[in-house]
Amino acid sequence: MPDFQQLETMIPVAPLKLVVLDSALELGDKVDKYLVDFRNNMHKVPAGDPAFKGYVQDSYKVIPKLDRFASGEAKASLNDSIRGDDLFILMDVVNYNCPYKMNGFTNYKSPDDHYQDLKRVIAAANGKAKRLNVIMPFLYVGRQHRRTQRESLDAALMFKELADMGVKNFITFDAHDPRISNSAPLNGFDNFMATYQFMKELLFNIDDLIVDKDHLIVISPDEGALDRAVYFANVLGADTGMFYKRRDYAHVVNGTNPIVAHEFLGSNIKGKDVIIVDDMISSGASMIDTSKQLKEMGAKRVFIACTFGLFTDGMDKFDDAYERREFDYIISTNLTYQNPEYMRRPYYLVADMSKYIATIIDFVNHDASTSNILIPTSKIHEIVKKYNEGDHTLSELR
């Protein structure tokens, strides 16, 4: 469990400010409310101590102004003073619901647009803020994390660029490959996982789950996600398995080699509940095929847990698969934009990450160790133990 009391003995780096870009307004509001609650109700700080000046506020949020010229170019400006502050910039590069007008047309910001906005905000704050920290839940160009022959190495280039602009700490979630931090080895890079929040959401909504190796198995949909599945399974005391994706390397479709077949490697799953864990759902075709095969192999229920539910082709194929009972629930997070229409579906659960982000910010602002936040094994053990003892209405589950 995070030791919040240790923060009361540590001087913050500087007064805290949370800069929220237009791509993360809803998440930013929730994070700000938790920060206000932490510092108004949980922390006890010495009154009148200049080291804690501005520590308790009604809000830490700053909304930058992002103006766009008629040519389509843009600029960023900060109307609030951030001089000497410890700045945390929160944004969402895959929010496709941020419109702007140009030449009479309504356009929507792409990941490239959001990234450019981030750099503009950094440029506006540089030289004034005490320290710059970026919270980018979905790692921009994280899928292009390695280079083969004559290809760009976009993820490493992005991180190096931000480090050169003065960003001292970079915080992301479930990075496709966190080794991009090697491109700027002297800067902070933290990669957090949503394992605890997945488990909270699952236990809160499912009353008859039996969490042990005889009734539950955690599956990786491919070899790349195996580390997540192994950690999740070990913490829960469950069994684990994986699918091997056989690809057609003679062709490229939508930037990747198409999958020919999924082949399962693991023990018998007949009659067991299955949790599939992965970092993202893009179009979802691969995930649906995986869950379908698990049901055909005799799985009792299939729960799909992904950090980032992008659903780039919409939800129609998931609606059809749900009607065919090829999966039972999807659990995603609010780290990226959540389409309200998607969240109304009976099989769609959202793991709220705002309190987790606020906790991370609180600790980083004090330069405190985040090791017990990074790996919340004890917290998962605690809620699973209470759940198995029959307590399904725990306050900890919310």
Side-chain angles (χ1 to χ4, degrees), residues 67-345:
D67 295 313
R68 194 168 292 270
F69 300 102
S71 61
E73 299 165 293
K75 69 173 182 178
S77 55
L78 297 168
N79 295 329
D80 298 316
S81 174
I82 46 87
R83 188 172 296 279
D85 291 335
D86 192 17
L87 225 60
F88 289 81
I89 306 172
L90 176 65
M91 51 100 67
D92 174 12
V93 296
V94 285
N95 187 337
Y96 55 83
N97 196 41
C98 294
Y100 65 92
K101 292 281 189 180
M102 183 178 172
N103 290 335
F105 294 99
T106 298
N107 301 295
Y108 290 86
K109 291 183 182 180
S110 69
D112 292 344
D113 292 320
H114 290 304
Y115 178 59
Q116 288 300 119
D117 284 344
L118 170 64
K119 292 196 294 182
R120 293 180 182 110
V121 170
I122 292 172
N126 237 330
K128 304 172 186 67
K130 172 78 171 179
R131 186 174 67 172
L132 295 173
N133 313 275
V134 168
I135 304 174
M136 184 188 290
F138 185 92
L139 188 65
Y140 173 65
V141 293
R143 301 185 75 175
Q144 187 52 24
H145 59 89
R146 61 172 178 256
R147 179 166 52 197
T148 304
Q149 297 179 346
R150 294 177 296 278
E151 288 184 341
S152 57
L153 189 55
D154 296 1
L157 180 63
M158 175 274 301
F159 184 58
K160 179 66 164 58
E161 186 175 25
L162 294 184
D164 289 344
M165 291 185 73
V167 173
K168 297 302 181 184
N169 290 302
F170 187 93
I171 297 166
T172 191
F173 288 81
D174 210 346
H176 214 57
D177 191 339
R179 288 175 295 181
I180 70 157
S181 60
N182 294 332
S183 62
L186 301 183
N187 288 67
F189 184 97
D190 287 299
N191 179 42
F192 294 91
M193 308 296 286
T195 313
Y196 174 65
Q197 287 72 23
F198 283 154
M199 208 61 218
K200 278 202 306 182
E201 196 65 26
L202 190 61
L203 296 182
F204 185 82
N205 286 279
I206 308 300
D207 292 332
D208 59 344
L209 198 65
I210 302 176
V211 185
D212 62 30
K213 63 182 179 62
D214 296 321
H215 299 87
L216 184 67
I217 183 168
V218 182
I219 298 293
S220 168
D222 54 42
E223 57 275 22
L226 186 58
D227 286 348
R228 299 182 192 90
V230 169
Y231 169 71
F232 208 163
N234 286 341
V235 171
L236 298 179
D239 202 356
T240 189
M242 68 165 282
F243 276 86
Y244 168 67
K245 291 181 179 178
R246 220 158 23 91
R247 296 182 178 271
D248 178 6
Y249 287 97
H251 300 89
V252 176
V253 178
N254 293 330
T256 63
N257 302 105
I259 298 168
V260 176
H262 291 90
E263 298 178 1
F264 180 68
L265 303 174
S267 59
N268 184 12
I269 66 168
K270 188 172 183 179
K272 295 183 179 180
D273 287 323
V274 178
I275 303 174
I276 309 175
V277 291
D278 206 357
D279 60 337
M280 76 173 76
I281 293 177
S282 185
S283 68
S286 175
M287 189 64 77
I288 290 174
D289 184 48
T290 299
S291 62
K292 178 182 178 182
Q293 289 194 47
L294 290 169
K295 279 297 185 81
E296 290 174 349
M297 293 163 60
K300 178 183 176 183
R301 289 175 296 192
V302 174
F303 307 103
I304 300 171
C306 71
T307 308
F308 307 106
L310 305 182
F311 306 107
T312 55
D313 290 345
M315 298 293 287
D316 289 345
K317 65 180 68 175
F318 285 93
D319 293 338
D320 293 341
Y322 180 71
E323 289 296 323
R324 296 192 298 266
R325 296 299 180 208
E326 293 173 357
F327 73 91
D328 294 270
Y329 284 95
I330 293 174
I331 309 171
S332 188
T333 72
N334 61 342
L335 290 171
T336 53
Y337 171 73
Q338 298 287 292
N339 188 320
E341 181 189 341
Y342 296 173
M343 292 190 289
R344 286 194 288 267
R345 283 162 165 77

